[in-house]
Amino acid sequence: MQSFYITTPIYYVNARPHLGHAYTTFVADTLKRFHRMCGEDARMLTGTDEHGDKIVKAAAKAGKTPQEFVDGISAEYQALWPKLGIEHDQFIRTTDPAHKAAVQAFLQRIYDKGDIYFGEYGGHYCTGCERFYTEKELENGLCPQHLTRPEYISEKNYFFRMSKYQGWLKQYILDNPDFIRPERYRNEVLAMLENGVLEDLCISRPKTRLEWGIELPFDRNYVCYVWFDALTNYISALGWPDNEQDEKGNYRRYWPGEHLVAKDILKPHGIFWPTMLKAADLPIYRHLNVHGYWLVKDTKMSKSLGNVVDPQVAANVFGLDAFRYFLMREMNFGSDASFSEEAIITRVNADLANDLGNLFSRVLSMNAKYFGGKVPAHGVPDEADEELNRLTDNACANYVQLFRQMRCSQALDCLWEPVRAMNKYVDVQAPWTLAKEGKTERLGAVLRTLLEAMYRVAALLWPVMPSSSAAMQEQLGHPLDEKRFSAAKLDDLLVSRTHLRTGEPIAAKSALFPRLEMPTKEEKTGKTEKGENKKATPAQQPQPGAKAFIEFADFEKLDLRVGIILAAEQHPNADKLLRFDVDLGEDRPRQICSGIAAHFKPEDLIGKKVVVVANLPPRKLRGLESQGMILTAEWDGGLSLLSAEAPAGSSIR
Ligand code: MSP
């Protein structure tokens, strides 16, 4: 069985987990699930990076010993991931004794090979980055990351002969075009290798300056540089070096693995780590997958700006699967993306509530109404059914291929093609008309075509939205069984158009993705302004020229519904009026008169979906009773009918 091993960066424990950490971890979880669904032996690793200057300083600030401090924050990370539905197989801490022993073995191996030497070094040291900068790398004498002045330090230290591997690494990247992806990051690393000489890497800190680290096995007066320590986690977690020769051990089973990082740590992963592995004669990882940054309203998240997004709060407010879907869909892997409430609400309402949720709700309720909630038989497919099936086949195949290339956003976009096409297919096939006309066989064929395609989409969505996918599969009478994942099952999902069983009962309704509303200030802060006069403040006054504010309760009195025009003709007694029969999902159609004759030919409007105010008292217009009002949008001389893609009778809120 093919194996797949995905890692996240191990996070520093000097800060609490935020949206950025959660994103990388969600992507890793999604990829692990995707590869499991492909029938592979998939494993996921995450953890915490606990040594170094930064941690010592943060611990001192918190009045704790480094060990107490790292235990506390590492526990927060460990507790968070299961709450976000993350199913990692292992959580590693760099303070684990087995990890420390592995780092020492790794250092010793490279030392014995002659690629670690002792030398004098002077450089500009930034404690924020925990690294030395050369004069050339500083910007106006400041660290380019932290914009602080580094300290000039000169001391004797151990060095890894990284320069020796510059030519090898460059060639390796040229020979393996997708080793670092997307391409822009590959080019960045190539540029670092092509512009000048790669310097050797200082890999020690004298204990006189820093004690909180792993001792060098060949000199007890020094501890290991954090990056050398941290990067080794990817193999120490697999039990290396003890099981290096053991065919059945995790190291041989899963290494080389697949790394996931953001662009901030491209250099250590793209340059230090492959050269370290090469020097230790170990296989190089498969791919470095680099993503961009989540910005909040176009600025970087930072504690001082107070704009740090707490992933747990977001999952609670928007729903875990909706939050996961948004993150996967909104960020084009490799580029930066912006997080805002507006962005998530817009995306979730459009893709989940309107497209996918509405599809499930309307198809399941029609199936309940027309077939007692049982799966109808396949009919003889007509051209429209074939077209929808072909589109679904293609979309499913592309989805899987794009996922394999780490292009999750494009993959989801692809899968939404059949979702949108299915909603259109419902409108065009109009099952309610087939029912009225007694065309039961065709009605069954239409619903079966839809149910089968819905099942394929729902099953493929599992890596991104595990609970909703399981719920949708259950609604379709096919509960998810993770034990049955296999390459053959995935192939079947991609090509077969028969997954459900004729006559089996399925759900009569579905309401999986509620529309999201902008959370009120009170909901976000959890505070109410009890007893305060809640009159509109100046910023809340209507715009000039707009109508006065109404109470929400007044708006709620309106009964707005989707109607389908069944018949339309000129009003017998008025040139400006048209007379309609409109299906509002009630026992019989309503007669509605509307003053839109100047804009439309009545016959063009038959079958059109409109929005109707359904609770106005009936009123006689030139001798004919009008039992509602059709809504229109008007502008200079122009007029159009409001419409909504939903079954007749759907209420509008
Ligand atoms: N400890 C090192 C990594 C060692 S790996 C051997 C480290 N830790 S970190 O806590 O700073 O985590 C950095 C990582 O967190 C990024 O590479 C990314 O995965 C994630 N993110 C932190 N902020 C982020 C955003 N604003 N947006 C997206 N991801 C970001 O570096």
Side-chain angles (χ1 to χ4, degrees), residues 93-113:
R93 301 182 56 185
T94 53
T95 49
D96 290 341
H99 170 77
K100 292 187 193 171
V103 171
Q104 290 180 328
F106 196 77
L107 284 162
Q108 190 67 52
R109 187 177 284 195
I110 299 179
Y111 184 76
D112 292 343
K113 252 191 86 181

Side-chain angles (χ1 to χ4, degrees), residues 12-189:
Y12 286 131
V13 285
N14 60 345
R16 310 223 121 75
H18 63 53
L19 171 71
H21 309 115
Y23 172 72
T24 316
T25 316
F26 275 139
V27 177
D29 179 74
T30 302
L31 287 171
K32 178 194 146 182
R33 289 172 190 269
F34 173 77
H35 285 267
R36 279 192 60 206
M37 191 171 80
C38 295
E40 293 167 30
D41 172 17
R43 183 177 183 85
M44 171 186 163
L45 171 74
T46 188
T48 40
D49 188 355
E50 306 185 1
H51 290 127
D53 275 351
K54 255 195 251 187
I55 308 296
V56 174
K57 286 196 178 125
K61 210 167 148 196
K64 295 189 174 161
T65 65
Q67 190 65 54
E68 280 166 356
F69 182 75
V70 297
D71 286 349
I73 305 219
S74 178
E76 272 189 47
Y77 273 94
Q78 292 182 58
L80 173 67
W81 300 138
K83 286 187 204 148
L84 292 178
I86 305 282
E87 287 185 358
H88 52 286
D89 298 275
Q90 192 179 352
F91 188 99
I92 190 167
R93 301 182 56 185
T94 53
T95 49
D96 290 341
H99 170 77
K100 292 187 193 171
V103 171
Q104 290 180 328
F106 196 77
L107 284 162
Q108 190 67 52
R109 187 177 284 195
I110 299 179
Y111 184 76
D112 292 343
K113 252 191 86 181
D115 277 347
I116 289 178
Y117 64 91
F118 195 51
E120 175 96 37
Y121 185 74
H124 303 272
Y125 188 75
C126 168
T127 30
C129 301
E130 310 221 12
R131 60 167 279 207
F132 285 102
Y133 279 94
T134 59
E135 200 80 50
K136 226 172 51 199
E137 286 174 311
L138 299 179
E139 281 172 16
N140 300 324
L142 303 179
C143 158
Q145 289 273 339
H146 294 89
L147 304 179
T148 48
R149 190 167 299 281
E151 198 182 341
Y152 188 85
I153 294 177
S154 172
E155 61 193 16
K156 287 207 154 210
N157 263 312
Y158 286 88
F159 291 83
F160 165 48
R161 231 180 272 284
M162 197 158 72
S163 55
K164 179 173 156 191
Y165 297 98
Q166 178 170 4
W168 165 79
L169 181 58
K170 193 178 138 199
Q171 198 53 48
Y172 190 84
I173 296 175
L174 290 173
D175 292 344
N176 297 278
D178 66 350
F179 174 58
I180 298 173
R181 58 190 182 185
E183 203 183 348
R184 70 165 83 165
Y185 297 110
R186 167 185 191 255
N187 294 341
E188 249 185 64
V189 173

Side-chain angles (χ1 to χ4, degrees), residues 8-14 18-24 49 54 77 227 230-234 260-265 269 291-295 300-301 331:
T8 72
I10 45 172
Y11 304 112
Y12 286 131
V13 285
N14 60 345
H18 63 53
L19 171 71
H21 309 115
Y23 172 72
T24 316
D49 188 355
K54 255 195 251 187
Y77 273 94
W227 271 105
L231 288 161
T232 311
N233 93 90
Y234 298 133
L260 198 58
V261 296
K263 59 185 182 182
D264 55 336
I265 50 178
H269 284 82
H291 64 78
Y293 253 56
W294 277 100
L295 306 173
K300 224 177 147 178
M301 263 182 284
M331 179 174 266

Side-chain angles (χ1 to χ4, degrees), residues 569-600:
E569 59 185 5
Q570 186 64 48
H571 189 294
N573 310 321
D575 289 346
K576 289 190 178 157
L577 293 175
L578 294 180
R579 190 203 74 81
F580 300 101
D581 288 330
V582 183
D583 177 3
L584 286 184
E586 300 166 320
D587 289 341
R588 70 180 95 97
R590 292 208 197 181
Q591 170 168 278
I592 299 179
C593 299
S594 175
I596 56 174
H599 298 271
F600 301 102

